[in-house]
């Protein structure tokens, strides 16, 4: 199956700083998603990005499928950005289960 | 914006009891999933469901687990005889399925199951 590795495992930032979170995956995938898990445990969809670049406000993501990695960029970080960020990858159709990484714990300090 | 809903948000049960977790997927989605997350760990796949049958299941999804789509809107996960190690957050997800391709999975808010 797909292996998903995220780095770094923990990240501490000062408010206003920028950060890059990395996700490596082991195979050619059809689906790559980024999530933010909030303090209540909910998984918030950030990006569906099997390839290319997308931006949503202060967040952007890039997936280079041929090199099997994805990056999540957070600019001008805020304390509300704190939490765990997961990436997850899958094939499609009958094998469309998402395989999650272990997550990156981000702490943004005021 | 359409969303996946789950009930209850928190369920406390005694070891050995049966529990049913309920989900209402997004209405035009055809693929449905259950995942679980033990506290402090990563999210793990349990089962996927398509066209009224299980499409894929993990090693975790043993004979104690079952899924059902009892009507046109609900999707349920049943645990027949709960164990302490079943305590976890359970997430339901759904996705569109077109031309043999599945797309973005949308997750519900989760049900936190506590087995005592």
């Amino acid at each position: 199956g797909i292996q998903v590795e995220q780095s770094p495992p923990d990240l501490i930032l000062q408010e206003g700083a920028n950060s890059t979170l990395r996700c490596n995956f082991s195979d050619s995938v059809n689906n790559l998603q980024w999530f933010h898990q909030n303090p209540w445990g909910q998984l918030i969809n950030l990006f569906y990005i099997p390839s290319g670049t997308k931006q949503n406000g202060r967040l952007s993501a890039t997936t280079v499928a041929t090199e099997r990695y994805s990056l999540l960029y957070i600019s001008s970080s805020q304390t509300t950005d704190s939490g765990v960020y997961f990436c997850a990858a899958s094939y499609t159709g009958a094998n469309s289960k998402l395989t999650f990484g272990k997550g990156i714990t981000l702490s943004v300090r005021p | 914006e359409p969303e996946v809903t789950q009930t209850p948000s928190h369920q406390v049960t005694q070891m050995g009891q049966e529990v049913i977790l309920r989900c209402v997927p997004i209405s035009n989605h055809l693929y449905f999933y259950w995942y679980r997350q033990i506290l402090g760990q990563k999210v793990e796949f349990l089962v996927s469901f398509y066209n009224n049958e299980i499409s894929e299941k993990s090693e975790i999804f043993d004979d104690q687990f079952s899924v059902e789509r009892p009507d046109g809107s609900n999707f349920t996960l049943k645990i027949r005889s709960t164990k302490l190690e079943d305590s976890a957050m359970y997430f339901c997800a759904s996705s569109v399925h077109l031309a043999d391709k599945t797309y973005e999975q949308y997750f519900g808010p989760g049900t936190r199951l506590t087995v005592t």
Side-chain angles (χ1 to χ4, degrees):
Chain A
I2 302 169
Q3 306 296 316
V4 177
E5 292 187 1
Q6 294 185 246
S7 60
D10 301 283
L11 193 55
I12 299 174
L13 298 176
Q14 208 62 34
E15 198 169 27
N18 302 329
S19 63
T20 301
L21 286 62
R22 187 177 181 99
C23 173
N24 292 331
F25 43 93
S26 62
D27 202 353
S28 299
V29 299
N30 304 102
N31 179 6
L32 192 291
Q33 294 185 232
W34 282 97
F35 299 88
H36 177 216
Q37 188 162 41
N38 66 21
W40 297 272
Q42 297 174 340
L43 288 172
I44 308 301
N45 284 41
L46 295 178
F47 293 101
Y48 166 69
I49 187 163
S51 63
T53 298
K54 291 185 178 180
Q55 181 155 7
N56 184 3
R58 295 181 297 102
L59 273 59
S60 63
T62 295
T63 297
V64 183
T66 52
E67 297 186 22
R68 300 181 184 170
Y69 73 88
S70 182
L71 302 174
L72 177 68
Y73 304 98
I74 304 175
S75 64
S76 303
S77 59
Q78 301 176 357
T79 55
T80 51
D81 295 330
S82 296
V84 184
Y85 289 81
F86 290 101
C87 75
S90 78
Y91 303 117
T92 192
N95 297 313
S96 57
K97 66 181 182 194
L98 281 172
T99 299
F100 281 74
K102 292 183 178 179
I104 295 171
T105 301
L106 175 65
S107 300
V108 181
R109 295 179 172 170
Chain B
E1 183 175 327
E3 58 183 16
V4 177
T5 60
Q6 291 185 241
T7 54
S9 56
H10 191 190
Q11 173 96 42
V12 181
T13 189
Q14 289 189 330
M15 195 168 49
Q17 295 296 304
E18 175 184 286
V19 294
I20 297 176
L21 310 183
R22 302 180 191 280
C23 167
V24 178
I26 294 173
S27 62
N28 64 333
H29 287 186
L30 297 178
Y31 250 96
F32 313 122
Y33 309 83
W34 284 101
Y35 295 84
R36 80 171 187 188
Q37 184 184 31
I38 295 171
L39 187 64
Q41 298 185 21
K42 67 178 183 179
V43 179
E44 301 173 290
F45 166 77
L46 289 178
V47 65
S48 60
F49 191 86
Y50 172 70
N51 201 23
N52 283 320
E53 61 183 21
I54 290 174
S55 180
E56 188 177 7
K57 61 182 180 180
S58 72
E59 292 179 353
I60 303 168
F61 194 87
D62 61 21
D63 292 344
Q64 293 298 316
F65 292 88
S66 62
V67 290
E68 192 178 31
R69 188 156 165 81
D71 52 43
S73 59
N74 290 284
F75 179 52
T76 62
L77 174 69
K78 181 192 291 185
I79 309 175
R80 288 189 182 79
S81 178
T82 51
K83 305 171 189 172
L84 293 176
E85 54 264 37
D86 293 328
S87 295
M89 180 77 100
Y90 288 81
F91 294 103
C92 173
S94 68
S95 69
V96 170
H97 181 72
L98 297 171
D100 292 328
K101 291 185 180 179
T102 49
Y103 295 87
E104 180 177 8
Q105 292 185 29
Y106 292 83
F107 279 68
T111 293
R112 187 170 299 280
L113 176 66
T114 302
V115 182
T116 61

